[in-house]
């Protein structure tokens, strides 16, 4: 190959006669030995072994992204090698026998075996969590004299008038109040302590992270066994503590953890990220199915909210997994009522057309509620991440204590949120009454109590969602919507009672109840859920499966449609999508559409800021020094650093592995020259003229090698685009194909590279410019004032507890007490992660790029925050 020196004339550069040959050669080098006519199985087996070792290393690289293009290519090579290996084992006299057919059947059916096992495990876990959560929630209020392990429903099973077997802890109201308060603190502190000590990733909902993981983001340990175990233990404690959090969001997390743990026992899913993605999508559907008793709604939720890639086979497996999980939960029958969830309800009466006005009003409330909670919860999350990340147990305990003090006096806040929804959803006929809820004399009292419950629960959700316990926002939002909807239903019922002869109520039949307040609670819950998550179709189906009434599908569609229309006036994305941006995960939402009117060259990292590898002439010592100094995840390979003629791309993991393996198996000096392209790569050759690739196993360890060839680890056909290509098109390539990096070249010369992070940085920069920075300084001053008062209160409380306990208990938020009893021993990795590249200089902000655009792939710059 003729080397290109900087002194080459411009005419030769324009002609570039060797480029077609180079392009053809690059594609030939991507072919396997079998495709090129070789029968060297030893070399192919060695190459397969190297690929598997590299994949095993990559599995443990935290906060990186999966290159789906390379993953698909490697899967094709693995499948071809496995077919050749199995052909030699199963073939007999040139024919395949019954063993081959059985093996093929087992290989094809592994996916169904996995989803069956996973679905059964999810159903069993969901039943266990329901039973434990109900008992822990009831034990705060009293106990069963028949058997201590029975909750109130089971203890009073079949009782008509009263329940003598269930006793309150005391007949004195203040004592019950105090015990309720103590139990709440114990449950919250235990849950937060388990999470902090054993599995920090068990905190929160997990939906945002799972969306990124399914899209290809790697978070080590997030779907591991310890996370599954601690989430399953601490979730009932967090719910029973009375915190305004739900278990439906975390149910998706433990379901996906279950799928990840079980699928690792099958080789088909152990090293294939694309196959694992299918199982994780199916598990997300099963998690929603057992949470709401809605298998079809779970599949639609996984399609609408969780998965960026959802082919038909994934839909079938999601459906089957949700079906198995729901069937197992129904067989367990945790509530002994035949219901899959506590707040299932059936309606006998229909609705009237004049009620559409009130349905639209509920939809407006859902949209406004979602926008309000998302905005202020993100403010609370920012405050928590800045000031409270070191005190997760103290924060959770304080929130539980405050929630218990505020909620116990209110009849709708005192009980569990699922039980509250069950009461609010029911019709008044049939003896379903709760402390006079259906009594016409108590309408205004109940309306005021429900209004207070709505406002108080909204405030508690804003400050509680995101604390370091397993915490979802589905059920709290539905409980808020249910209380508001029931209040509206009571007011409409009172309006009808005051003007029964009005023409507005002419559709009502005499002697039959016209208004059903329970249906307003049901529709309000759907509106709030749609408003907080920005989902539509799956909410309609979930609410339909909860009621089983076709009659109320149209009102639900009206409410959800109105909520969607209102949400469109606010920043796009539900709470899960906004949390992805808040945490800085590299995720491009397939539902978003942007118009930037700029080319990719405005966003890319220019070649002058990229570490390039020349194809020849680089010593091993210089290469290792380059790896130590650079934090890039990959390096473009060029023919010459001056001309930057692109030859390929090599990942950091592959390069590190190649160096270590070469030094281990060969005698190399530090001045050995590294080759990243074959010596005759520019010549157009036919497949019959090529020779099989030489592996490290074929080189004698005792020979002193002065050159080492790394060309087999170089991707000769990286995805590359023209610098004038629109940024919107590049973002679509990332969404559809899922590469880790896209190179930008012009007539064969490298101009730069672009990653998902670069696209997101530019997107957030544009959005920040559109919003402006007004109000930020006022918010910062308020946060500083609030934190100063919290520190003072914490110090005074800690001093008091220290004096009372004789110095054995150390609490407080001061610096000296930062390592006290309730301080964090180990932080959540998500809190430790800041924006990539640290602070942004003025010049970098004006360019819209950062040096190291592929640096660790740990997230995006969130200057707007």
């Amino acid at each position: 190959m003729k080397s290109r020196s900087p002194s080459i004339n411009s005419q030769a550069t324009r002609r570039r006669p060797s480029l077609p040959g180079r392009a053809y050669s690059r594609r030939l080098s991507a072919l396997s030995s079998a495709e090129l006519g070789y029968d060297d199985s030893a070399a192919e087996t060695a190459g397969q072994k190297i690929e598997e070792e590299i994949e095993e290393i990559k599995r443990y690289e935290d906060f990186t992204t999966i290159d789906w293009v390379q993953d698909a290519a490697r899967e094709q090579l693995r499948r071809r090698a496995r077919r050749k290996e199995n052909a030699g084992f199963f073939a007999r006299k040139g024919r395949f026998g019954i063993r081959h057919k059985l093996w093929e059947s087992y290989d094809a059916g592994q996916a169904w075996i996995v989803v069956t096992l996973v679905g059964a495990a999810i159903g069993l876990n969901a039943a266990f969590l329901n039973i434990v959560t109900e008992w822990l929630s009831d034990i705060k209020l009293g106990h069963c004299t028949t058997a201590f392990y029975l909750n109130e429903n089971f203890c009073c099973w079949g009782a008509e008038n009263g329940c003598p077997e269930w006793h309150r802890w005391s007949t004195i109201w203040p004592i019950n109040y105090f015990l309720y308060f103590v139990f709440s603190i114990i449950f919250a502190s235990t849950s937060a302590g388990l999470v902090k000590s054993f599995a920090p990733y068990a905190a929160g909902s997990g939906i945002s992270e799972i969306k990124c993981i399914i899209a290809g983001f790697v978070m080590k340990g997030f779907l591991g066994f310890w996370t599954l175990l601690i989430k399953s233990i601490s979730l009932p404690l967090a719910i029973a503590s009375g915190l305004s959090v739900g278990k439906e969001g975390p149910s998706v997390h433990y379901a996906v953890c279950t799928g990840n743990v079980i699928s690792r026992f099958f080789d088909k899913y152990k090293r294939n990220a694309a196959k694992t993605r299918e199982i994780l999508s199916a598990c997300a559907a099963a998690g929603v199915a057992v949470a709401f008793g809605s298998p079809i709604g779970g599949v639609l939720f996984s399609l609408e909210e969780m998965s960026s890639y959802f082919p038909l086979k994934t839909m079938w497996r999601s459906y089957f997994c949700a079906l198995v999980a729901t069937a197992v939960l129904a067989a367990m029958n945790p509530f002994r009522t035949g219901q899959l969830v506590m707040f299932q309800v059936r309606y006998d009466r229909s609705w009237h057309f004049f009620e559409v006005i009130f349905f639209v009003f509920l939809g407006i409330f859902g949209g406004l509620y979602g926008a309000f909670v998302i905005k202020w919860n993100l403010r609370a999350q920012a405050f928590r991440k800045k000031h409270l990340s070191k005190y997760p147990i103290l924060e959770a305990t304080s929130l539980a204590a405050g929630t218990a003090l505020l909620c116990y006096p209110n009849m709708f806040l005192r009980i569990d949120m699922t039980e509250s929804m069950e009461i609010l959803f029911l019709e008044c006929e049939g003896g379903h009454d709760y402390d006079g809820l259906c009594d016409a004399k108590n309408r205004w009292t109940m309306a005021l109590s429900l209004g207070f419950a709505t406002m108080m629960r909204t405030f508690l959700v804003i400050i509680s969602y995101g604390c370091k316990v397993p915490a979802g926002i589905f059920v709290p939002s539905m409980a808020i919507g249910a209380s508001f909807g029931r209040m509206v239903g009571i007011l409409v019922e009172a309006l009808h009672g005051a003007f029964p002869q009005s023409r507005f109520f002419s559709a009502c039949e005499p002697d039959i109840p016209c208004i059903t307040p329970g249906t307003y609670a049901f529709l309000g819950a759907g509106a709030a859920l749609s408003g907080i998550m920005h989902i539509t179709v799956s909410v309609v189906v979930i609410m339909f499966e909860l009621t089983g009434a076709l009659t109320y599908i149209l009102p639900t569609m009206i409410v959800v449609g109105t909520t969607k229309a209102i949400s469109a006036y606010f920043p796009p994305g539900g709470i899960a999508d906004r949390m992805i941006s808040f945490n800085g995960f590299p995720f491009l939402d397939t539902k978003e559409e942007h118009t930037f009117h700029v080319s990719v060259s405005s966003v890319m990292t220019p070649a002058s800021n990229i570490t390039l590898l020349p194809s020849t002439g680089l010593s091993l010592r210089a290469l290792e020094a380059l790896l130590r100094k650079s934090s890039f995840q990959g390096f473009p390979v060029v023919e010459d650093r001056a001309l930057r003629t692109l030859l390929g791309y090599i990942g950091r993991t592959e390069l590190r592995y190649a160096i270590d393996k070469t030094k281990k198996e060969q005698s190399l000096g530090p001045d050995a020259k590294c080759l990243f392209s074959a010596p005759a790569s520019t010549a157009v050759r036919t497949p019959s003229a090529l020779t099989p690739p030489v592996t490290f196993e074929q080189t004698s360890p005792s020979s002193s090698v002065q050159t080492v060839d790394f060309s087999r680890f170089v991707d000769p056909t990286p995805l590359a685009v023209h610098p004038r290509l629109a940024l919107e098109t590049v973002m679509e390539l990332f969404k559809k194909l899922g590469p880790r990096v896209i190179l930008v070249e012009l007539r064969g010369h490298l101009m730069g590279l672009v990653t998902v992070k670069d696209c997101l940085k530019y997107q957030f920069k544009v959005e920040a410019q559109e919003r402006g920075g007004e109000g930020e300084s006022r918010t910062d001053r308020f946060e500083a004032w609030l934190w100063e008062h919290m520190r003072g209160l914490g110090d005074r409380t800690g001093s008091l507890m220290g004096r009372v306990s004789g110095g054995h208990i150390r609490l407080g938020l001061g610096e000296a007490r930062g390592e006290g009893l309730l301080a964090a021993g180990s932080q959540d990795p998500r809190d430790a992660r800041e924006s990539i590249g640290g602070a942004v200089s003025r010049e970098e902000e004006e360019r819209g790029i950062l040096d190291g655009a592929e640096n660790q792939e740990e997230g995006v710059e969130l200057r707007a925050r």
Side-chain angles (χ1 to χ4, degrees):
M1 180 182 70
K2 295 181 180 180
S3 61
R4 294 181 177 271
S5 63
S7 60
I8 190 169
N9 58 53
S10 60
Q11 185 177 359
T13 304
R14 287 193 300 268
R15 289 200 301 267
R16 295 178 48 80
S18 62
L19 279 180
R22 180 181 297 108
Y24 181 70
S25 175
R26 274 192 269 168
R27 281 146 183 82
L28 285 180
S29 63
L31 301 176
S32 66
S33 299
E35 290 175 308
L36 299 179
Y38 297 110
D39 194 24
D40 193 347
S41 59
E44 188 167 325
T45 304
Q48 180 69 17
K49 181 181 178 182
I50 291 174
E51 290 288 342
E52 292 178 357
E53 290 178 356
I54 293 176
E55 283 302 299
E56 189 68 19
I57 295 173
K58 282 189 173 183
R59 279 186 56 200
Y60 296 97
E61 290 183 348
D62 204 9
F63 294 118
T64 57
T65 52
I66 297 172
D67 193 318
W68 295 111
V69 177
Q70 293 186 5
D71 185 79
R74 281 191 294 266
E75 173 59 19
Q76 293 295 331
L77 293 176
R78 278 196 294 263
R79 190 176 302 172
R80 188 182 300 114
R82 189 170 62 247
R83 189 180 296 117
K84 178 179 292 188
E85 178 184 353
N86 294 331
F89 175 76
F90 289 110
R92 180 178 297 177
K93 295 181 180 181
R95 296 183 179 181
F96 294 106
I98 187 65
R99 290 190 304 173
H100 180 261
K101 293 181 180 179
L102 290 176
W103 181 87
E104 278 192 337
S105 301
Y106 168 74
D107 186 67
Q110 273 193 48
W112 300 105
I113 296 173
V114 170
V115 296
T116 303
L117 295 175
V118 169
I122 292 172
L124 291 172
N125 199 11
F128 163 77
L129 292 179
N130 285 333
I131 294 172
V132 174
T133 302
E134 291 306 311
W135 182 79
L136 290 175
S137 298
D138 289 342
I139 204 67
K140 295 191 303 181
L141 303 174
H143 63 95
C144 183
T145 57
T146 306
F148 187 77
Y149 57 84
L150 294 179
N151 60 28
E152 185 176 2
N153 286 335
F154 285 171
C155 184
C156 301
W157 193 264
E160 295 294 338
N161 297 318
C163 180
E165 291 82 6
W166 181 262
H167 286 180
R168 296 283 179 178
W169 289 110
S170 174
T171 56
I172 304 175
W173 182 83
I175 295 179
N176 289 331
Y177 195 173
F178 175 75
L179 291 176
Y180 182 91
F181 176 80
V182 171
F183 274 118
S184 298
I185 291 178
I186 293 174
F187 292 159
S189 59
T190 305
S191 177
L194 289 172
V195 169
K196 185 209 76 171
S197 302
F198 298 102
Y201 276 144
S205 171
I207 291 181
S208 304
E209 292 82 356
I210 292 171
K211 287 184 67 173
C212 297
I213 290 173
I214 292 177
F217 190 57
V218 178
M219 296 183 68
K220 179 183 175 182
F222 190 83
L223 301 180
F225 173 77
W226 275 107
T227 303
L228 170 63
L229 179 64
I230 298 303
K231 192 120 187 175
S232 301
I233 296 174
S234 57
L235 178 58
L237 292 169
I239 302 301
S241 69
L243 288 170
S244 294
V245 296
K247 67 176 184 293
E248 277 63 23
S251 68
V252 177
H253 188 186
Y254 74 68
V256 176
C257 287
T258 303
N260 181 69
V261 171
I262 293 179
S263 65
R264 290 299 177 187
F265 291 100
F266 295 81
D267 290 336
K268 187 175 183 179
Y269 298 96
K270 193 172 183 179
R271 293 188 179 91
N272 189 343
K275 295 292 183 183
T276 305
R277 175 167 63 171
E278 297 176 3
I279 297 298
L280 300 186
S281 299
C283 294
V288 176
V290 297
F292 293 101
S294 173
I296 305 300
V299 175
L300 291 176
F301 177 84
S302 181
L303 170 63
E304 185 177 2
E305 179 66 14
M306 299 300 297
S307 302
S308 56
Y309 176 75
F310 205 84
L312 184 62
K313 62 178 180 179
T314 302
M315 184 182 72
W316 278 112
R317 287 166 186 169
S318 301
Y319 169 77
F320 187 75
C321 189
L323 174 64
V324 172
T326 309
V328 171
L329 180 61
M332 294 290 292
N333 195 12
F335 303 112
R336 294 297 185 266
T337 59
Q339 296 178 338
L340 298 179
V341 291
M342 182 180 290
F343 46 86
Q344 274 186 313
V345 66
R346 295 290 183 268
Y347 293 120
D348 299 327
R349 294 195 297 269
S350 181
W351 55 282
H352 304 90
F353 189 75
F354 67 83
E355 293 180 280
V356 172
I357 298 176
F358 306 108
F359 297 160
V360 171
F361 179 69
L362 291 177
I364 295 173
F365 165 79
L368 296 177
Y369 161 80
F372 180 80
V373 171
I374 290 173
K375 175 182 178 179
W376 290 103
N377 179 256
L378 290 178
R379 294 277 183 91
Q381 297 274 30
F383 180 83
R384 175 180 291 113
K385 196 168 187 178
K386 183 178 180 180
H387 299 292
L388 300 177
S389 59
K390 296 181 180 179
Y391 314 98
I393 303 179
L394 181 59
E395 180 198 1
T397 306
S398 302
L399 285 173
T403 302
L405 289 174
L406 294 173
C407 292
Y408 188 83
N410 186 277
M411 55 183 291
F412 298 107
L413 297 176
R414 182 188 314 137
I415 58 178
D416 182 63
M417 284 180 286
T418 55
E419 185 180 354
S420 173
M421 282 194 291
E422 179 190 22
I423 293 168
L424 295 175
F425 284 176
L426 290 175
E427 297 177 348
C428 285
E429 288 70 29
H432 301 301
D433 197 2
Y434 174 72
D435 288 354
L437 178 62
C438 295
D439 193 347
K441 298 178 182 179
N442 299 330
R443 280 176 179 170
W444 295 108
T445 302
M446 289 299 165
L448 292 175
S449 181
L450 288 168
F452 175 79
T454 300
M455 293 186 292
M456 181 58 63
R457 185 76 76 186
T458 301
F459 169 73
L460 293 175
V461 166
I462 289 174
I463 64 174
S464 300
Y465 180 68
C467 65
K468 298 309 177 183
V469 297
I473 202 170
F474 284 17
V475 163
S477 296
M478 294 179 68
I480 292 170
S483 59
F484 181 81
R486 185 80 183 207
M487 181 188 70
V488 173
I490 291 175
L491 295 178
V492 175
E493 188 180 34
L495 183 65
H496 172 258
F499 305 98
Q501 304 301 325
S502 173
R503 183 177 299 179
F504 185 77
F505 300 107
S506 60
C508 296
E509 299 180 10
D511 302 327
I512 296 179
C514 180
I515 306 299
T516 307
T519 60
Y520 286 80
F522 162 77
L523 295 173
L529 178 59
S530 177
I532 199 67
M533 293 299 297
H534 284 209
I535 52 179
T536 53
V537 179
S538 53
V539 170
V540 174
V541 176
I542 287 172
M543 303 308 288
F544 159 67
E545 291 185 280
L546 280 176
T547 60
L550 287 169
T551 308
Y552 283 90
I553 281 188
L554 183 57
T556 308
M557 294 176 67
I558 294 173
V559 169
V560 172
T562 306
T563 300
K564 178 68 174 177
I566 297 299
S567 301
Y569 288 96
F570 298 96
I575 187 68
D577 300 316
R578 301 290 291 277
M579 285 301 298
I580 290 174
S581 302
F582 177 81
N583 287 322
F585 298 138
F587 178 78
L588 285 173
D589 195 349
T590 56
K591 299 187 293 291
E592 292 185 1
E593 295 182 0
H594 302 281
T595 304
F596 298 114
H597 301 294
V598 297
S599 63
V600 68
S601 60
S602 303
V603 179
M604 70 178 186
T605 302
S608 57
N609 294 340
I610 303 172
T611 302
L612 306 178
L613 298 181
S615 60
T616 58
L618 189 65
S619 66
L620 187 61
R621 179 192 288 112
L623 182 60
E624 289 184 313
L626 183 146
L627 277 176
R628 286 193 301 269
K629 295 178 181 179
S630 174
S631 56
F632 286 83
Q633 285 292 337
F635 308 94
V637 178
V638 296
E639 188 173 354
D640 183 84
R641 282 178 172 173
L643 294 177
R644 301 194 299 270
T645 304
L646 182 63
L647 298 180
Y649 184 85
I650 184 169
R652 184 186 189 90
T653 303
E654 287 85 352
L655 184 57
R656 183 74 265 174
Y657 172 84
I659 294 174
D660 293 341
K661 189 173 181 65
T662 306
K663 293 173 68 176
K664 180 181 178 181
E665 299 184 356
Q666 298 182 16
S667 177
L668 284 178
D671 296 325
K673 300 302 181 182
C674 302
L675 303 178
F676 293 97
S677 63
S681 62
T682 57
V684 180
R685 300 173 293 178
T686 60
S688 60
L690 294 173
T691 58
V694 178
T695 64
F696 294 123
E697 286 80 357
Q698 297 170 321
T699 305
S700 173
S702 61
S703 61
S704 179
V705 182
Q706 297 304 318
T707 61
V708 56
D709 187 5
F710 293 137
S711 60
R712 65 162 297 136
F713 297 96
V714 176
D715 178 13
T717 56
L719 186 59
V721 298
H722 194 278
R724 295 182 183 176
L725 188 65
L727 177 60
E728 297 85 351
T729 306
V730 174
M731 295 176 72
E732 288 299 317
L733 289 176
F734 278 117
K735 294 176 184 178
K736 299 295 193 304
L737 298 180
R740 170 182 284 185
V741 60
I742 296 178
L743 303 181
V744 182
E745 67 170 349
L746 178 63
R747 299 185 181 93
H749 295 284
L750 180 69
M751 306 300 295
L753 59 79
V754 62
T755 63
V756 172
K757 189 195 67 176
D758 296 319
C759 298
L760 289 172
K761 281 192 301 184
Y762 185 82
Q763 174 186 332
F764 294 145
K765 179 183 178 182
V766 172
E767 292 176 355
Q769 290 175 350
E770 292 176 352
R771 288 194 302 266
E774 63 273 6
E776 293 298 326
S777 58
R778 185 168 58 237
T779 302
D780 293 339
R781 288 195 300 269
F782 173 75
E783 288 184 358
W785 174 86
L786 179 61
W787 175 239
E788 191 63 31
H789 283 72
M790 289 179 64
R791 286 171 62 92
L793 179 62
D795 288 340
R796 288 191 294 271
T797 305
S799 301
L800 177 63
M801 292 294 294
R803 289 195 300 269
V804 172
S805 63
H808 295 288
I809 300 178
R810 293 182 296 127
L811 303 177
L813 299 176
E815 296 295 334
R817 302 179 182 88
E819 299 300 325
L821 177 67
L822 302 182
S826 58
Q827 278 189 280
D828 189 331
R830 290 167 289 188
D831 291 334
R833 283 165 37 80
E834 296 295 338
S835 56
I836 291 182
V840 184
S841 64
R842 182 65 180 172
E843 294 79 7
E844 289 170 334
E845 188 171 2
E846 290 175 354
R847 285 203 311 267
I849 60 174
L850 287 177
D851 292 343
E854 207 192 357
N855 180 9
Q856 303 297 328
E857 291 287 336
E858 286 187 5
V860 295
E861 188 73 28
L862 293 175
R863 292 185 295 272
R865 194 171 66 205

